[in-house]
Amino acid sequence: MTTAALTFGCAFLAFSPPLALLFLLTYSKANLIIVVTTSAFAYLLSTVLSSLFWLPVPSSLQSNPYVLIFPSIVFQFVARAAFVWLYHRVEHSVERSVRRHERVEGRNRAAAAGGGGGSSSSNNNGGADGDNADG
C-alpha cells in the first residue's frame, strides 16, 4: 500500500537532482533551455524509432533481449549523433550571421565617422551619457 507521503518522497528524491541542475545551470541562459528541449526531443525521436523497430519483430524473437536491446542502443546513438551534428550546423550558421551583422554595423560606423557623425553614432544610446553638443 502506497501512501501519499511515500509517493511524494520518492518523486522528490527522483526528480530533485535533475530539477536542481535545470534551475541552477540551464534556466539562467535561454540558449541552454533551447538545447535541453531539443535534446529531449531527439531522445524522444530515438525512443519512437526503437519502438517502431519492435513492432515487426516476431514474438518468437521477443524473448531474446539482445534482439531488442542492441537496435535500441543503435537508434539512440544515431539520434544523439544527428542532434549533435545539427546543433553544430546551427551554431556555425548563427556565428556566421552574427559576424556578417557585425561587419555591416562596422561599415555603418565607419561611414558615420567619415561623415562627421562619429561621436554620436559610436555609442548606441545616442549620446545619453552627457556628450551631447547642446547640453
Side-chain angles (χ1 to χ4, degrees), residues 63-97:
S63 62
N64 187 359
Y66 298 111
V67 172
L68 299 176
I69 292 174
F70 288 132
S72 298
I73 292 171
V74 169
F75 283 132
Q76 287 186 6
F77 171 75
V78 168
R80 289 179 185 198
F83 169 73
V84 170
W85 175 79
L86 181 66
Y87 175 76
H88 284 297
R89 294 264 325 241
V90 168
E91 186 178 29
H92 179 66
S93 67
V94 167
E95 286 176 356
R96 192 173 55 224
S97 174

Side-chain angles (χ1 to χ4, degrees), residues 6 10 17 25-26 33 38-39 44 57 70-71 73 89 92 98 108:
L6 180 63
C10 290
L25 298 177
T26 61
I33 292 292
T38 54
S39 68
L44 178 68
V57 173
F70 288 132
I73 292 171
R89 294 264 325 241
H92 179 66
V98 166
N108 290 344

Side-chain angles (χ1 to χ4, degrees), residues 25-132:
L25 298 177
T26 61
Y27 191 67
S28 61
K29 297 180 181 177
N31 58 345
L32 291 179
I33 292 292
I34 294 170
V35 169
V36 167
T37 305
T38 54
S39 68
F41 185 71
Y43 179 75
L44 178 68
L45 285 179
S46 71
T47 306
V48 168
L49 284 175
S50 65
S51 65
L52 286 177
F53 175 75
W54 292 347
L55 289 176
V57 173
S59 60
S60 62
L61 291 177
Q62 287 181 356
S63 62
N64 187 359
Y66 298 111
V67 172
L68 299 176
I69 292 174
F70 288 132
S72 298
I73 292 171
V74 169
F75 283 132
Q76 287 186 6
F77 171 75
V78 168
R80 289 179 185 198
F83 169 73
V84 170
W85 175 79
L86 181 66
Y87 175 76
H88 284 297
R89 294 264 325 241
V90 168
E91 186 178 29
H92 179 66
S93 67
V94 167
E95 286 176 356
R96 192 173 55 224
S97 174
V98 166
R99 276 193 304 248
R100 189 178 325 131
H101 179 71
E102 287 174 349
R103 197 175 330 129
V104 169
E105 287 292 322
R107 286 185 199 148
N108 290 344
R109 287 185 180 174
S119 65
S120 65
S121 69
S122 64
N123 44 347
N124 292 333
N125 56 7
D129 45 313
D131 39 333
N132 287 354

